[in-house]
Amino acid sequence: MPTDRAQPAFVLIRPQMGENIGAAARAMWNFGLDRMRIVAPRDGWPNPSAVAMASGAGRLLDEAEVAGDVAEGLADRTYVYATTARPRELTKPVFSPEAAMRDAAARIARGEKVAVMFGPERSGMENADIAHAQAIITVPVNPDFPSLNLAQCVLLVGYEWRRACEEVTDVVVQGQRTDVAEHRDIEALARHYEDRLEEAGFFYPDHKAENMKVNLRNLWARMPLTRADVQMLHGALRQLLRGKTK
């Protein structure tokens, strides 16, 4: 059964190759989307090539709704986006994928039923298809090579849907020992280096010593150190001093 999470339906309009339908299913499931609709697939349905390409996302194909035409595929939807790379003479709002999925998330939260249409691989949707949509999604691609593979387009929109619905951390430090050093850890490290450098005569001449110490403290404060980093730097200094006394 489909997941309970509210989400847009992804509607594939006259897809031509089973492999692309399967790849689109994988792309959808990468981002937690499982409402696939297939309108007038060229090679009929079900399609063994789609199943083979879907790999772990075969459930989406088993549960996909198949429609004979665009109107049938969108019958229960209240707001529809059409993806296209080509300029159209139809008057509609044109969204970037990011803005479209933010808008979709807001509409779904209000109880609307949203769909995103994706056109056939060879030529994309016709104006008669896009006329069913309330808005257009256009990707800022290379104008000299604007065509996207069906699964690529599904992946891109699915990614933006995930970003619109989930809190995404832009940067994260990963590893086995990533506890961030506390201020007391940094302070102890700063004193350790300052004391040893003082003994070595580093802070010279005397009238510049205080400013040099401030700059050194500022250096430690700017560095995003983990507790493991601090321990390593303490150890490195101790080893250097041991080598000097041998």
Side-chain angles (χ1 to χ4, degrees), residues 25-218:
R26 291 186 64 177
M28 288 176 63
W29 194 228
N30 281 148
F31 299 106
L33 292 157
D34 61 1
R35 307 294 199 283
M36 175 181 277
R37 297 185 179 186
I38 306 170
V39 174
R42 184 191 65 181
D43 297 334
W45 196 257
N47 188 312
S49 297
V51 175
M53 182 61 75
S55 187
R59 177 178 68 79
L60 273 69
L61 303 180
D62 295 338
E63 298 166 354
E65 299 178 30
V66 180
D69 57 32
V70 174
E72 181 185 351
L74 302 175
D76 65 339
R77 300 292 94 181
T78 61
Y79 199 88
V80 178
Y81 305 87
T83 59
T84 178
R86 302 200 313 271
R88 305 285 182 161
E89 59 269 23
L90 300 173
T91 302
K92 295 182 187 294
V94 179
F95 288 85
S96 69
E98 181 180 11
M101 291 301 96
R102 286 200 306 264
D103 184 64
R107 290 180 181 279
I108 289 172
R110 295 195 298 266
E112 295 191 45
K113 297 178 180 179
V114 171
V116 183
M117 292 196 296
F118 301 86
E121 298 91 318
R122 182 166 297 175
S123 58
M125 279 179 283
E126 300 173 359
N127 280 355
D129 302 318
I130 296 174
H132 290 272
Q134 280 75 38
I136 287 173
I137 300 175
T138 293
V139 180
V141 293
N142 176 3
D144 295 326
F145 192 61
S147 178
L148 286 175
N149 176 273
L150 172 60
Q152 290 175 326
C153 192
V154 168
L155 183 77
L156 192 154
V157 177
Y159 167 71
E160 294 297 351
W161 167 256
R162 188 77 171 189
R163 290 186 65 211
C165 298
E166 302 284 340
E167 184 175 344
V168 178
T169 302
D170 290 332
V171 180
V172 62
V173 177
Q174 293 184 333
Q176 294 180 337
R177 304 174 68 189
T178 58
D179 292 341
V180 177
E182 296 178 349
H183 182 75
R184 65 174 67 110
D185 301 323
I186 304 298
E187 182 66 16
L189 181 68
R191 285 198 306 271
H192 188 187
Y193 272 77
E194 187 175 307
D195 291 347
R196 299 292 82 77
L197 289 170
E198 184 85 66
E199 293 170 1
F202 176 76
F203 299 113
Y204 179 85
D206 290 344
H207 69 277
K208 292 185 177 181
E210 191 58 36
N211 192 49
M212 292 171 70
K213 292 177 181 178
V214 169
N215 287 339
L216 185 60
R217 290 291 179 108
N218 189 48

